[in-house]
């Protein structure tokens, strides 16, 4: 099925091409300001997914149907001379991007940028969120829709961009109410699809994974990052998880993320690669049967805050015994509790009432 598709940037196969896949309840025009303001040298191809925007709302809405429709977009908008190209996918779009890259292969796909890809989600959570979204699908008016958007995570989005979102994407519904230009059944189906097993990026395709740390429970699970690491056993960074603590803008800068330098706070932004490697080395050295805390590691390396260690652990610890690092309270994060405690118990770490008994197993970190 043909998708409504927006194209931003210079014409011709000489310009690097990027296929940008929006997330659930989004639309292709949402990429316009990013393309114009920060990626003007790239040709950005941004379709409305099935059930979204001005594309058809007719089912099916499965991952397979989305991939098939995007293959058609690639055939229509990416000349052979412009291949291989980069695929960027946000949230639900990230899950689709992985599957599209697997189908197209390395001859067509130069790289993947997965912005908090949503796949392999807990089915019970997916059911809860889908049910709640359907029960609160529309709004009394545009003012209420705008306020809801601010509350959902758009609090830092500039006013003009939010106004543009309202103009482009809000439509009148029945009973004189308003809602987003999205099929409600398609959105509910998307939550079912995101509860399917996670797919790995194809081997040989450089992949950057951006993890949003204000999503709770998180979409990107440690198991997915671990699987990416095991698929690429060397530290070549061909599958590189990085962090986004609320991405205000995506600017070309770091070689680790062609599209990403996100706002991560002054203490994290000043961390050096050497400090990251020191933390990694200490985590790798934690003995079986012992644990350490974020604060102990920060003190040993001379970092200003335990949260910096938390950032490093979220972004670059999939190949390490991450489960041996715990908060000073001894209680793991809720979304990790079962898995982390199971591993620690298997290594003989004392746990009582869901908490690690630190006084009995706390590692004496060198340098602390």
């Amino acid at each position: 099925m043909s998708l409504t598709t927006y194209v931003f940037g210079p014409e011709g196969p000489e310009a690097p091409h990027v296929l940008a896949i929006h997330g659930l309840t989004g639309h292709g025009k949402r990429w316009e300001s990013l393309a114009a303001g920060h990626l003007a040298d790239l040709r950005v191809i941004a379709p409305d997914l099935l059930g979204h925007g001005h594309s058809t709302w007719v089912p099916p809405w499965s991952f397979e149907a989305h991939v098939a429709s995007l293959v058609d977009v690639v055939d229509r908008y990416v000349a052979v001379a412009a291949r291989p190209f980069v695929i960027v996918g946000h949230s639900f779009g990230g899950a689709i991007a992985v599957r599209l890259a697997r189908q197209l292969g390395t001859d067509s796909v130069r790289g993947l940028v997965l912005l908090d890809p949503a796949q392999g989600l807990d089915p019970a959570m997916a059911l809860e969120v889908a049910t709640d979204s359907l029960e609160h699908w529309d709004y009394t008016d545009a003012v209420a829709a705008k306020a809801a958007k601010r509350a959902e995570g758009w609090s830092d989005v500039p006013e003009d961009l939010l106004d543009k979102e309202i103009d482009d994407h809000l439509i009148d519904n029945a009973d004189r109410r308003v809602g987003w230009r999205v099929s409600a059944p398609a959105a509910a189906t998307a939550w079912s699809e995101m509860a399917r097993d996670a797919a790995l990026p194809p081997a040989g395709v450089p992949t950057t994974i951006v993890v949003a740390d204000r999503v709770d429970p998180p979409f990107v699970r440690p198991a997915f990052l671990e699987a990416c690491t095991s698929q690429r056993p060397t530290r070549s960074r061909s599958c590189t998880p990085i962090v986004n603590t609320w991405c205000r803008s995506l600017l070309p800068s770091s070689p680790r993320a062609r599209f990403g330098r996100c706002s991560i706070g002054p203490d994290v932004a000043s961390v050096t690669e050497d400090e990251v490697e020191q933390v990694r080395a200490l985590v790798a050295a934690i003995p079986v049967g012992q644990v350490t805390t974020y604060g102990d590691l920060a003190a040993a390396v001379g970092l200003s805050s335990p949260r910096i260690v938390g950032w490093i652990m979220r972004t670059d610890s999939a190949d390490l015994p991450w489960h041996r690092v715990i908060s000073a309270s001894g209680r793991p994060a809720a979304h990790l509790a079962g898995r982390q405690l199971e591993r620690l118990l298997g290594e003989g770490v004392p746990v009582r009432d869901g908490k690690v008994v630190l006084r009995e197993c706390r590692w004496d970190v060198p340098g602390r």
Side-chain angles (χ1 to χ4, degrees):
M1 288 179 279
S2 180
L3 301 181
T4 297
T5 302
Y6 307 92
V7 181
F8 313 109
E11 297 183 3
E14 299 80 13
H17 282 46
V18 175
L19 176 65
I21 307 173
H22 64 76
L24 182 59
T25 73
H27 57 104
K29 288 189 75 175
R30 196 176 278 178
W31 298 95
E32 184 176 11
S33 62
L34 174 66
H38 304 297
L39 304 174
D41 57 328
L42 306 182
R43 187 164 179 80
V44 178
I45 300 152
D48 289 342
L49 290 173
L50 296 172
H52 290 70
H54 295 278
S55 289
T56 179
W57 288 17
V58 177
W61 304 299
S62 63
F63 276 143
E64 291 77 13
H66 283 292
V67 167
S69 65
L70 289 168
V71 168
D72 176 68
V73 170
V74 171
D75 288 342
R76 285 190 293 138
Y77 290 95
V78 185
V80 173
R83 305 181 192 186
F85 62 97
V86 171
I87 303 175
V88 180
H90 172 236
S91 192
F92 178 54
I96 296 171
V98 172
R99 291 161 173 79
L100 177 62
R102 292 178 67 90
Q103 178 158 328
L104 293 177
T106 55
D107 289 342
S108 292
V109 182
R110 181 188 302 277
L112 274 173
V113 180
L114 306 178
L115 307 176
D116 207 41
Q119 54 173 349
L121 303 185
D122 175 65
M125 185 273 284
L127 172 61
E128 180 181 353
V129 176
T131 302
D132 182 73
S133 67
L134 291 176
E135 290 176 351
H136 303 87
W137 186 250
D138 54 15
Y139 311 94
T140 54
D141 53 31
V143 173
K146 188 173 182 178
K149 210 68 176 170
R150 288 288 190 203
E152 290 168 1
W154 286 52
S155 58
D156 294 332
V157 172
E159 191 74 13
D160 60 320
L161 292 184
L162 183 52
D163 287 340
K164 187 175 188 304
E165 179 76 5
I166 297 293
D167 292 341
D168 290 341
H169 203 42
L170 196 69
I171 58 175
D172 292 330
N173 285 344
D175 302 323
R176 297 183 180 179
R177 295 174 68 85
V178 298
W180 306 114
R181 196 186 301 271
V182 178
S183 161
T189 301
W191 285 105
S192 174
E193 293 297 281
M194 289 185 283
R196 291 170 58 176
D197 289 343
L200 291 178
V205 174
T207 302
T208 295
I209 304 168
V210 179
V211 181
D213 69 356
R214 293 192 191 178
V215 176
D216 187 21
F219 288 161
V220 180
R221 303 299 181 89
F224 176 68
L225 299 179
E226 286 179 1
C228 285
T229 300
S230 63
Q231 183 191 64
R232 297 157 168 88
T234 64
R235 296 199 69 227
S236 63
R237 303 291 188 183
S238 58
C239 189
T240 304
I242 63 173
V243 76
N244 164 21
T245 65
W246 218 244
C247 203
R248 299 168 188 259
S249 61
L250 297 173
L251 307 177
S253 61
S254 165
R256 296 184 73 177
R258 169 66 177 86
F259 300 92
R261 187 162 76 94
C262 305
S263 175
I264 56 179
D267 50 353
V268 173
S270 62
V271 176
T272 68
E273 186 68 21
D274 180 65
E275 289 168 332
V276 171
E277 294 305 325
Q278 288 184 60
V279 171
R280 284 180 50 83
L282 287 172
V283 174
I286 302 171
V288 174
Q290 298 186 43
V291 299
T292 190
T293 69
Y294 298 101
D296 287 351
L297 291 172
V301 178
L303 300 174
S304 61
S305 169
R307 72 183 288 270
I308 302 176
V309 175
W311 171 75
I312 295 170
M313 295 299 295
R314 284 192 300 271
T315 62
D316 201 9
S317 68
D319 58 335
L320 298 172
W322 57 267
H323 57 285
R324 297 175 192 159
V325 181
I326 199 105
S327 69
S329 70
R331 191 178 297 280
H335 65 280
L336 292 175
R339 191 157 169 263
Q340 188 169 16
L341 292 179
E342 181 181 4
R343 290 194 178 194
L344 292 174
L345 285 167
E347 295 179 350
V349 172
V351 175
R352 298 192 189 108
D353 298 324
K355 294 174 61 176
V356 172
V357 185
L358 283 172
R359 66 178 180 275
E360 297 180 15
C361 60
R362 193 169 191 161
W363 183 46
D364 187 11
V365 181
R368 183 170 67 92

